[in-house]
Amino acid sequence: MLLATVAWAQPKTIDKIVAQVGENIILQSEIETIYYQEASNGTVSADLRCLIMEQLITQKLLLIQAQKDSVEVTDEQVEYELERRLRYYESLFGSKEKMEEFYGKTFQEMKEEFREDIRDILLSDRMKGQIAGDITISPSEVRAFFNKIPTDSLPYFDAEVEYAQIAIVPQPTAEQKAYAREKAEGIRQRILDGDDFELLASIYSEDPGSKEIGGDLGCQTRGTFVTEFDAAAFKLQPGEISEVVATQFGYHIIRLESRQGNTACLKHILITPPVTNSNIQLATKKLDSIRAAIISGTLSFREAAAKYSDDEGSNLVGGDVTNFQNGGSMFAIDELDPEVYYAIEKLDPGEVSEIISYTSYDGKRGLRIVQLKSQSDPHRANLEDDYYRMQAAAKNEKQMQILSDWVERKLKSAYLKIDPIYDGCENIQELMRVANDVGRK
């Protein structure tokens, strides 16, 4: 689905409201953002903006229902998804600095700009799962789906791989945590004694997204940050300096610049516990013993991932890694991280790599081992080699039909207004006919 991605840059456009769904509005800039993101990937269809509008209308309906049903996503889930997506784009550019230079924004500024977009995507996806997620597809349905595809329209698949990973992030010792806290306490005291907050942030802060701008986090709404940070920040008075606040990222010193209702303008200094070669050696030793247990057969890869992996995105599913681009499990060769590609290049399915480098969603450096689960040669789709792909496609078609029926029912009780510039979109006109038909029944 087009809305599975967030575009990080797009041409400037004169903005205006182009649709309203209930109390939710859709801006022209939202359409253009997604349009230019898709256009950057190659040729686009003539009706792409029509399709984007339809998907945004569906998303707004899902968000309305999510609010009614008290569906929620946590700040941690939003943070994880933001980090995961940004780390992916960082890998495309080769470094955070190159990505920031290209977009003209800091890592932190990009996170804050798209935080609410990510929250909406996660909420609508969760609501969609409640509506159409719990369905099954029988083998006969898979065959029927495959057989209705014209032979000359069967997709051609490039060589692809499927892999799983177990990641270990070196953990600081109690002494290292105590050292970091003591360092933060010392910096806080210097600020209280009159030293310049912005200068100390630029010298000592270990948050790369705000360090170079004096620790500035901008103005954010309550719930933007992890729970401990949020709670401390919104207790402050303008100009007040917080106590040292411990979070999963390290130790923070927070200053409230100003506040209006649930929006606070903040600066912070982050001190992280140092990770030394001894921490890395311990992590290497641990991961090496896990790998040995897997290879000897005393522990399965899935069991080890669930028990030991620090990668919160894959440890709940046996270490299986999801392709961010398509939401599936298969990766084209050019979609792989270079480290992963070289690690699995000479492996057979089921084999486990040597230990390689790893970066967690929150930027922490670690180690990982990778298992090659499957690989395929370039070929045209067939049921023998691609049964699970066809099963997923058939299931997706069934889910889309369920969702389409749900949207049609909801439109009959929802307010829908769309700008006349979309009058030429057949799909949008059909939605309008459904929404307006209620008055005649």
Side-chain angles (χ1 to χ4, degrees):
M1 217 177 142
L2 299 174
L3 301 189
T5 61
V6 172
W8 304 101
Q10 65 281 337
K12 296 291 185 182
T13 183
I14 299 175
D15 219 355
K16 67 174 183 175
I17 296 173
V18 290
Q20 183 174 348
V21 186
E23 296 182 356
N24 296 270
I25 62 171
I26 297 173
L27 299 173
Q28 185 66 29
S29 59
E30 295 180 72
I31 305 284
E32 298 306 306
T33 293
I34 301 169
Y35 179 88
Y36 283 105
Q37 176 68 17
E38 292 298 316
S40 69
N41 296 326
T43 305
V44 298
S45 62
D47 62 348
L48 179 58
R49 286 186 174 87
C50 302
L51 296 174
I52 295 170
M53 173 62 84
E54 181 178 1
Q55 291 187 2
L56 284 171
I57 290 170
T58 298
Q59 184 193 65
K60 301 304 181 185
L61 288 170
L62 288 166
L63 290 173
I64 291 169
Q65 192 64 41
Q67 184 176 23
K68 289 180 179 177
D69 293 353
S70 300
V71 175
E72 296 180 345
V73 293
T74 66
D75 297 337
E76 289 75 14
Q77 289 168 326
V78 175
E79 184 71 23
Y80 171 82
E81 190 64 17
L82 271 168
E83 287 282 349
R84 186 174 73 88
R85 290 171 186 248
L86 278 168
R87 295 298 171 191
Y88 170 78
Y89 282 101
E90 181 184 333
S91 71
L92 296 182
F93 282 94
S95 71
K96 181 185 295 184
E97 290 72 25
K98 289 180 181 177
M99 181 175 74
E100 290 178 332
E101 181 181 357
F102 180 84
Y103 289 124
K105 299 174 183 177
T106 67
F107 193 82
Q108 184 67 32
E109 286 171 339
M110 283 186 272
K111 282 176 67 174
E112 301 315 325
E113 181 172 348
F114 295 104
R115 187 176 297 277
E116 290 309 309
D117 292 334
I118 294 295
R119 188 181 297 277
D120 285 349
I121 289 171
L122 293 178
L123 275 171
S124 58
D125 283 350
R126 180 160 293 186
M127 192 66 238
K128 195 188 310 173
Q130 291 189 12
I131 295 166
D134 189 22
I135 66 168
T136 58
I137 294 290
S138 68
S140 61
E141 287 178 296
V142 177
R143 285 192 297 272
F145 173 82
F146 180 80
N147 289 334
K148 75 179 183 181
I149 303 173
T151 302
D152 59 0
S153 297
L154 288 170
Y156 187 85
F157 296 122
D158 292 327
E160 293 181 310
V161 299
E162 185 179 31
Y163 74 96
Q165 68 180 17
I166 296 171
I168 301 295
V169 177
Q171 298 299 313
T173 64
E175 290 78 10
Q176 289 166 332
K177 290 181 180 179
Y179 169 82
R181 177 179 277 279
E182 185 177 345
K183 182 178 178 180
E185 293 284 5
I187 294 170
R188 178 179 182 272
Q189 188 58 52
R190 288 178 61 180
I191 295 168
L192 295 177
D193 290 341
D195 281 8
D196 185 75
F197 188 102
E198 289 79 4
L199 178 61
L200 294 181
S202 68
I203 296 172
Y204 295 110
S205 183
E206 294 169 79
D207 174 12
S210 65
K211 174 185 177 73
E212 301 302 327
I213 50 176
D216 193 357
L217 295 174
C219 300
Q220 311 301 333
T221 57
R222 187 190 295 272
T224 294
F225 303 101
V226 293
T227 304
E228 303 90 339
F229 188 102
D230 221 47
F234 279 85
K235 287 180 181 177
L236 299 175
Q237 297 298 316
E240 186 179 1
I241 306 297
S242 73
E243 300 291 335
V244 172
V245 180
T247 73
Q248 66 198 63
F249 303 104
Y251 298 95
H252 308 258
I253 306 156
I254 308 167
R255 186 173 79 186
L256 176 66
E257 300 298 299
S258 62
R259 177 179 168 186
Q260 185 172 4
N262 283 326
T263 299
C265 301
L266 303 163
K267 293 183 178 179
H268 87 139
I269 297 171
L270 171 66
I271 304 298
T272 59
V275 175
T276 64
N277 285 337
S278 62
N279 301 101
I280 296 172
Q281 289 169 2
L282 286 173
T284 303
K285 184 177 180 180
K286 178 180 178 180
L287 190 53
D288 193 49
S289 67
I290 294 170
R291 181 177 182 273
I294 294 169
I295 292 173
S296 69
T298 58
L299 186 66
S300 74
F301 198 96
R302 291 187 66 83
E303 291 170 339
K307 188 173 183 180
Y308 299 112
S309 182
D310 291 326
D311 179 22
E312 296 180 11
S314 66
N315 58 11
L316 297 178
V317 288
D320 294 349
V321 179
T322 300
N323 186 335
F324 166 71
Q325 286 290 77
N326 58 34
S329 62
M330 303 299 292
F331 290 79
I333 299 303
D334 61 2
E335 291 177 325
L336 292 171
D337 289 340
E339 296 90 348
V340 172
Y341 170 73
Y342 290 116
I344 66 175
E345 183 182 15
K346 297 181 180 179
L347 296 182
D348 291 325
E351 290 185 335
V352 178
S353 74
E354 299 291 337
I355 296 173
I356 61 174
S357 63
Y358 166 76
T359 302
S360 70
Y361 79 90
D362 54 1
K364 295 177 182 176
R365 300 292 175 176
L367 307 163
R368 62 178 163 180
I369 54 175
V370 175
Q371 181 189 53
L372 176 61
K373 297 188 66 181
S374 68
Q375 59 184 356
S376 67
D377 295 324
H379 65 282
R380 193 168 292 282
N382 62 80
L383 273 181
E384 181 179 355
D385 296 323
D386 304 301
Y387 179 84
Y388 291 107
R389 292 177 188 267
M390 294 299 109
Q391 182 185 53
K395 182 176 181 179
N396 181 66
E397 182 181 69
K398 191 173 182 179
Q399 288 173 324
M400 289 301 98
Q401 186 57 56
I402 292 172
L403 183 61
S404 178
D405 293 342
W406 178 87
V407 168
E408 184 171 329
R409 292 195 303 272
K410 291 300 173 181
L411 280 174
K412 293 177 180 179
S413 60
Y415 175 79
L416 179 63
K417 182 178 180 181
I418 301 174
D419 192 286
I421 62 173
Y422 289 90
D423 283 351
C425 298
E426 291 185 13
N427 61 329
I428 299 304
Q429 290 308 302
E430 178 58 29
L431 293 181
M432 290 299 296
R433 281 193 289 271
V434 170
N436 294 331
D437 197 42
V438 65
R440 297 192 294 272
K441 292 186 177 180

